[in-house]
């Protein structure tokens, strides 16, 4: 039988393990430091735990990290890493260096069940949730870990469809006994699953991004089936009731599709919808994916759209396209890898 892993456990869980195995409870903090703050790869490396106690740990647990299995590097320095999961699938994380900042875009699920029309991960379908350990491992095993300044949950999967493991990973990223990162350097992106959103806002201090993509009901239903259950008007009404004054930020993600969501009518409706919400809109060029008729709005028209939003008092910026030559939009690399493995046509 496969052993459980230590990596991905909270301090409280480590304390329970210590009690169960008869280790002193202060060892839990020492183990957490080895897992989240030092650079060892196995339980044998935990040199301040006695040999006998290390053996007890090894009898029941694996250390639990897995190294990257593949990397693609863009001419602009963006790197896309592939990580194998315990269930023998693949997930991706994109490392995006930019001036003083270096961001890792992490995955929260293998595939996704949300079926957004424009998304390669959505086309893969859902193949499983990641554990907190598998989410954290994308940072722990990142070759550029020391340079990392920010984390965004915008890779494969819908984070708030795997809320408990995502919240656990956020606790470990931000705890002083964990990675000790500021929650202000972490953003969780969602398509707007209201009950989980409430839980996330309640239990974490990290920033929020909402994938909006069109303010109109019929268009959003066509692009994002979640609109049938949680209409964007209800999601925005819900977040308007939250207190955003305490250094916590909300941003809106808006992928621009030519002839679909880039008209003056969209500007007006967005301004109405977001009126009273202190947020920023990130306008994003669409990276076309195989088998979709959708095209990206031209950069000139995105600029006009941005200026019109700004004129209406909505802060809008254009997100720089990164890693286009390696297809940094999530889902493609892992899809290729799955196809090799399963000989499936996605
Ligand atoms: S855009 Fe996000 S929520 Fe939609 S299918 Fe892709 S990964 Fe899932």
């Amino acid at each position: 039988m496969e052993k459980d892993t230590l990596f991905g456990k909270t301090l409280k869980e480590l304390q329970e393990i210590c009690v169960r195995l008869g280790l002193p409870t202060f060892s839990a903090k020492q183990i957490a430091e080895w897992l989240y703050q030092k650079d060892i790869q196995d339980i044998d490396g935990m040199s301040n735990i006695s040999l006998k106690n290390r053996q007890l740990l090894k009898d029941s647990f694996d250390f639990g990290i897995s190294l990257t299995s593949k990397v693609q590097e863009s001419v602009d320095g963006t790197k896309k890493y592939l990580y194998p999961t315990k269930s023998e699938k693949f997930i991706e994380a994109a490392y995006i260096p930019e001036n003083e900042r270096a961001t890792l875009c992490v995955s929260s699920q293998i595939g996704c069940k949300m079926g957004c029309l424009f998304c390669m991960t959505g086309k893969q379908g859902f193949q499983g949730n990641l554990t907190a350990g598998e989410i954290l491992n994308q940072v722990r095993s990142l070759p550029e870990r020391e340079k990392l300044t920010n984390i965004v949950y915008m890779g494969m999967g819908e984070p708030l469809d795997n809320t408990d493991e995502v919240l656990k990973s956020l606790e470990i990223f931000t705890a002083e006994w964990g990675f000790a990162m500021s929650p202000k350097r972490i953003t969780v992106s969602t398509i707007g699953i209201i009950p989980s959103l409430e839980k996330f806002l309640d239990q974490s201090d990290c920033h929020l991004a909402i994938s909006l993509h069109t303010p109109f009901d019929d268009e959003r239903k066509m692009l994002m089936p979640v609109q049938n259950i949680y209409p964007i008007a209800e999601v925005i009404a819900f977040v308007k009731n939250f207190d955003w004054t305490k250094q916590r930020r909300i941003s809106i993600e808006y992928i621009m599709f030519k002839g679909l969501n880039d008209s003056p009518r969209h500007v007006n409706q967005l301004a109405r919808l977001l009126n009273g919400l202190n947020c920023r809109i990130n306008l994003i060029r669409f990276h076309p994916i195989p088998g979709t008729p959708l095209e990206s709005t031209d950069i000139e028209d995105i600029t006009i759209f941005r200026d019109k939003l700004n004129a209406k008092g909505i802060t809008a910026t254009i997100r720089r396209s990164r890693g286009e030559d390696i297809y940094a939009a999530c889902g493609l690399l892992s899809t290729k890898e799955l196809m090799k493995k399963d000989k499936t046509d996605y």
Side-chain angles (χ1 to χ4, degrees), residues 112 114-116 118-119 121-122 155-158 191:
C112 183
M114 298 300 150
C116 302
F118 47 85
C119 172
T121 304
M156 298 170 72
E158 162 54 49
I191 56 174

Side-chain angles (χ1 to χ4, degrees), residues 185-205:
R185 299 198 167 270
I186 303 177
T187 301
V188 173
S189 174
T190 178
I191 56 174
I193 299 174
I194 294 174
S196 311
L197 189 53
E198 189 169 9
K199 200 167 171 185
F200 163 73
L201 290 175
D202 189 42
Q203 295 184 21
S204 156
D205 289 326

Side-chain angles (χ1 to χ4, degrees), residues 127-277:
Q127 304 183 52
N129 279 322
L130 294 185
T131 61
E134 287 172 322
I135 298 171
L136 295 157
N137 179 62
Q138 295 165 64
V139 170
R140 172 63 148 83
S141 297
L142 181 76
E144 293 82 2
R145 178 182 159 188
E146 295 305 320
K147 296 185 200 152
L148 202 62
T149 59
N150 293 68
I151 298 172
V152 293
Y153 283 64
M154 291 186 189
M156 298 170 72
E158 162 54 49
L160 297 188
D161 187 40
N162 185 17
T163 316
D164 290 341
E165 293 302 307
V166 164
L167 283 171
K168 196 167 152 187
S169 68
L170 293 173
E171 179 187 347
I172 298 171
F173 273 138
T174 55
E176 146 287 311
W177 48 262
F179 286 74
M181 283 188 75
S182 163
K184 308 297 168 237
R185 299 198 167 270
I186 303 177
T187 301
V188 173
S189 174
T190 178
I191 56 174
I193 299 174
I194 294 174
S196 311
L197 189 53
E198 189 169 9
K199 200 167 171 185
F200 163 73
L201 290 175
D202 189 42
Q203 295 184 21
S204 156
D205 289 326
C206 297
H207 296 317
L208 173 70
I210 292 184
S211 301
L212 197 151
H213 306 325
T214 174
F216 292 110
D217 185 64
D218 52 340
E219 287 171 7
R220 199 162 186 271
K221 276 184 180 155
M222 189 262 292
L223 287 174
M224 305 169 77
V226 72
Q227 176 74 6
N228 292 295
I229 306 167
Y230 300 114
I232 194 65
E234 286 179 24
V235 176
I236 298 299
F238 176 78
V239 293
K240 275 185 185 170
N241 280 328
F242 187 79
D243 178 7
W244 295 101
T245 55
K246 297 187 188 127
Q247 288 197 327
R248 195 173 189 181
R249 278 202 313 262
I250 176 167
S251 53
I252 303 292
E253 306 289 299
Y254 198 92
I255 303 178
M256 301 217 49
F257 302 106
K258 191 179 201 150
L260 191 115
N261 65 354
D262 53 1
S263 73
R265 196 170 70 92
H266 290 87
V267 172
N268 293 337
Q269 186 64 12
L270 274 173
R272 269 195 289 273
L273 182 67
L274 300 176
N275 183 28
L277 182 67

Side-chain angles (χ1 to χ4, degrees), residues 16-80:
E16 285 161 5
I17 290 167
C18 287
V19 170
R20 203 170 71 231
L21 299 181
L23 271 65
T25 40
F26 66 76
S27 294
K29 191 105 186 277
Q30 294 172 318
I31 297 170
E33 282 167 7
W34 288 115
L35 293 171
Y36 307 126
Q37 297 177 357
K38 297 187 178 157
D39 207 16
I40 58 163
Q41 315 282 336
D42 53 34
I43 294 172
D44 285 326
M46 298 181 177
S47 55
N48 56 1
I49 309 280
S50 72
L51 276 175
K52 178 174 146 272
N53 288 342
R54 271 183 258 171
Q55 190 57 49
L56 282 173
L57 287 170
K58 282 199 292 182
D59 290 344
S60 304
F61 294 94
D62 284 329
F63 191 87
I65 57 171
S66 56
L67 302 180
T68 61
S69 63
K70 200 171 205 170
V71 60
Q72 277 186 321
E73 185 164 4
S74 161
V75 286
D76 68 16
T78 300
K79 289 182 185 173
K80 195 193 261 189

